[in-house]
Amino acid sequence: MSIAQPDNDNNYFIRMSSTDRHRLLKRQLSKANFNFAEQEKFEVFLNQVDQAYKGADEDYQRLEKILEISSKELYKLNQSLKSDVVQKNSEVKETKKQLELVINNVQNVIFQTDTDGLYTFLNSAWEDMVGIPVKDSLGKSFADFFNHIDSSSIAAVQDFIKNSGRIGQFTHIMQLVTLAEKHKWIEVTFQYTFDEDGNATGTIGSFVDVTTIKETEIALQIAKETAEAANESKSHFLNIMSHEIRTPLNSIIGLTNIMILEEHMQEQSENLHALKFSGEHLLHLINDILDFNKIMAGKVNLEEKEFSIESVLDGLRRN
């Protein structure tokens, strides 16, 4: 497109200023003291620059609209996220409250320690076990609350920490004495906790008071040993008594056999045979008692032997 040359530069500048050029382009041409006598020579270039400015304005306006829409969407999203966070925090607080309620109603002690073995958490069952409030126990170690812990338990814990503290779970029953001089048996179970990088952060576990169970086991063991000792005494007594009884009984049976072989009155024969049978039967009973005693003691030896069923039946009939 060609434009007629103006009569002079000032008139041409005035005419160009009133055209539909972009404001920035007109401002730059004015500041640069552009030689409007050569306007036609740069017409194509100036049109391209003008279109570039106008295109940039349109892009900027579209960007502003996009940013405005995005800002509104982000605002709505932010409000929604705030609402979700409030709801989640409320749910977390409620869950924590319920969890603490459950934990504090568990009869067993639940604990958590740091890497130095100092308590960072204890449930309310701890106070029932040692008689010291939880708030006064945090930051202290297990050994601070007992006057005595059996050495084997200390060695077992140290061995676990030294050799396999990072593997598996440790469970051990230990005997100890509280600060109130109460003797207790405690079953300790704990394991290490780790962060995302695998570094130990402490331990978590539980204490179970098994004093009643352990004392019952000890009482049963004592009763068992007492019963075994009583059975041993009974067996010893039966062995002695049976020996003392069999000695005169064998004499009675032997004298009866002699009397049967000797001359005796006819009416005495049945009495002598009855005396012999009774003596032999009594001897069998004593031997059976000894055999039963051996069975109870686990000392009996079975043997295969021929016997007369007629003699057994005859003995039962006479008995």
Side-chain angles (χ1 to χ4, degrees), residues 68-123:
E68 183 180 0
I69 295 172
S70 299
S71 178
K72 291 179 180 179
E73 291 178 350
L74 287 173
Y75 177 77
K76 291 180 180 180
L77 181 59
N78 185 48
Q79 292 299 111
S80 176
L81 287 174
K82 285 183 178 179
S83 177
D84 290 343
V85 168
V86 171
Q87 182 179 355
K88 293 298 181 183
N89 286 337
S90 177
E91 292 176 356
V92 168
K93 289 180 180 178
E94 183 63 24
T95 301
K96 183 179 179 181
K97 181 179 178 181
Q98 294 295 328
L99 182 59
E100 289 178 351
L101 182 63
V102 171
I103 291 176
N104 286 325
N105 279 279
V106 174
Q107 294 182 349
N108 301 332
V109 175
I110 299 175
F111 68 87
Q112 190 171 13
T113 73
D114 57 18
T115 52
D116 294 324
L118 304 180
Y119 290 125
T120 58
F121 173 81
L122 288 163
N123 66 338

Side-chain angles (χ1 to χ4, degrees), residues 104 109 119 121-141 145 179:
N104 286 325
V109 175
Y119 290 125
F121 173 81
L122 288 163
N123 66 338
S124 58
W126 169 260
E127 186 172 347
D128 296 332
M129 176 179 289
V130 299
I132 299 175
V134 171
K135 64 179 182 179
D136 297 332
S137 303
L138 297 178
K140 298 180 180 179
S141 68
F145 302 96
L179 298 179

Side-chain angles (χ1 to χ4, degrees), residues 11 31 42 48 88 101 106 130 136 181 229 249 258 287:
N11 291 335
K31 288 182 178 181
F42 294 98
Q48 291 176 347
K88 293 298 181 183
L101 182 63
V106 174
V130 299
D136 297 332
E181 298 298 327
L249 188 57
I258 293 174
N287 290 333

